[in-house]
Amino acid sequence: MNAALTFAQALIWFWLEAVLITRFLRGDWRRFPLVFTYVVADFLVAAAETPTIWAITFRSTQAARSWGARVYERGEVFLEFFTFVLVISLISRACAGFRSRRLMQAACVAGAVLFAGISFQAHYDSRIVPGLWMAPWTRDLNLGASILDLALWTLLMEQRKKDQRLLLLSGALGIQFAGAAIGHSLRSMATHYHAWPSMLGGRW
Amino acid sequence: MLTSLFRVYLWVRAFRAPQPAGQASAPGVPSEPAR
């Protein structure tokens, strides 16, 4: 049942991503090059993770789990940092006419690096498997990204001429960050209590 | 995964296909045939 649900979700996700990439290729990738690159990177990371997920689901050997964990960790870290870059670039785009644009960019980059670094220092532990410290770390990164997204949303709402597309892009990102933060929280709780939250963790 | 799915769906909506040329929104083209 769990595998069937994961398969159905993955199927719909890949189909929607393919539709999105096709729409970008009609010309919008020139207006949103970084968003397009993020979509392609997200697609490629998910495509790389899929065989490992199936290997773990159907043949849960130690080698399969270790391979899956390595691919997942690298893909997750890459996408988390790409997400920060994407949100900061959207903020920069939203405050294009501001005098303090450079200052805002610098503050966002410095804040994001500081936040990610402090959270890494707080959770990293070389004695445990990476998945155990990565879950609370990625939870914090998603929380940081959602705070940046909130700033982006505020900037967009303050503009007289509302950019509906940017509002939809940032709103959707906000939903994803909130869901991912909840999911990673449940995952880290599950490792402590070995309980039902682990079942929900991957669904968010 | 679910929220990622929802994010991709909303982005697909954000990048909806533009209206084909020659439809009512094109400048100078009346939305209804002249009577």
Side-chain angles (χ1 to χ4, degrees):
Chain A
M1 180 65 189
N2 200 27
L5 205 61
T6 307
F7 180 73
Q9 275 182 14
L11 212 62
I12 299 168
W13 190 89
F14 275 111
W15 176 71
L16 283 174
E17 278 274 315
V19 171
L20 186 57
I21 290 170
T22 315
R23 289 193 179 177
F24 266 111
L25 288 174
R26 283 182 188 150
D28 278 320
W29 69 272
R30 288 191 194 90
R31 273 195 68 209
F32 297 93
L34 205 62
V35 181
F36 175 62
T37 315
Y38 176 79
V39 170
V40 174
D42 199 15
F43 183 86
L44 292 177
V45 168
E49 281 176 0
T50 303
T52 68
I53 292 167
W54 288 110
I56 294 167
T57 307
F58 294 113
R59 192 177 287 182
S60 188
T61 58
Q62 180 59 36
R65 280 200 299 272
S66 145
W67 173 47
R70 237 178 300 140
V71 172
Y72 172 77
E73 284 151 16
R74 283 167 197 182
E76 191 75 2
V77 170
F78 170 71
L79 281 180
E80 288 294 342
F81 280 97
F82 203 151
T83 306
F84 267 100
V85 171
L86 178 68
V87 177
I88 291 169
S89 85
L90 289 177
I91 289 175
S92 169
R93 194 187 183 106
C95 55
F98 291 20
R99 278 186 200 165
S100 54
R101 186 186 179 190
R102 295 260 174 225
L103 185 71
M104 283 180 83
Q105 271 179 329
C108 284
V109 172
V113 170
L114 205 66
F115 185 82
I118 291 171
S119 173
F120 180 79
Q121 277 293 321
H123 298 297
Y124 178 72
D125 190 345
S126 58
R127 292 163 300 173
I128 56 175
V129 288
L132 289 180
W133 60 262
M134 264 192 68
W137 185 49
T138 44
R139 174 203 61 199
D140 289 358
L141 290 182
N142 275 291
L143 180 73
S146 57
I147 292 167
L148 276 179
D149 194 64
L150 197 65
L152 168 63
W153 184 262
T154 311
L155 280 170
L156 291 173
M157 290 304 284
E158 276 183 358
Q159 286 176 354
R160 278 187 198 165
K161 197 181 171 192
K162 306 270 185 294
D163 188 333
Q164 296 294 333
R165 191 170 271 179
L166 266 182
L167 276 169
L168 204 51
L169 287 181
S170 65
L173 275 175
I175 293 168
Q176 181 181 307
F177 297 149
I182 295 169
H184 289 303
S185 294
L186 289 174
R187 234 181 238 149
S188 56
M189 276 162 66
T191 53
H192 286 299
Y193 302 113
H194 302 284
W196 59 269
S198 63
M199 290 170 68
L200 282 169
R203 300 268 157 263
W204 294 81
Chain B
M1 183 76 191
L2 271 180
T3 49
S4 174
L5 196 69
F6 193 53
R7 190 262 302 164
V8 179
Y9 167 72
L10 287 177
W11 281 19
V12 169
R13 300 257 323 185
F15 291 97
R16 255 186 300 202
Q19 283 192 319
Q23 280 203 350
S25 58
V29 178
S31 54
E32 286 179 22
R35 293 182 184 178

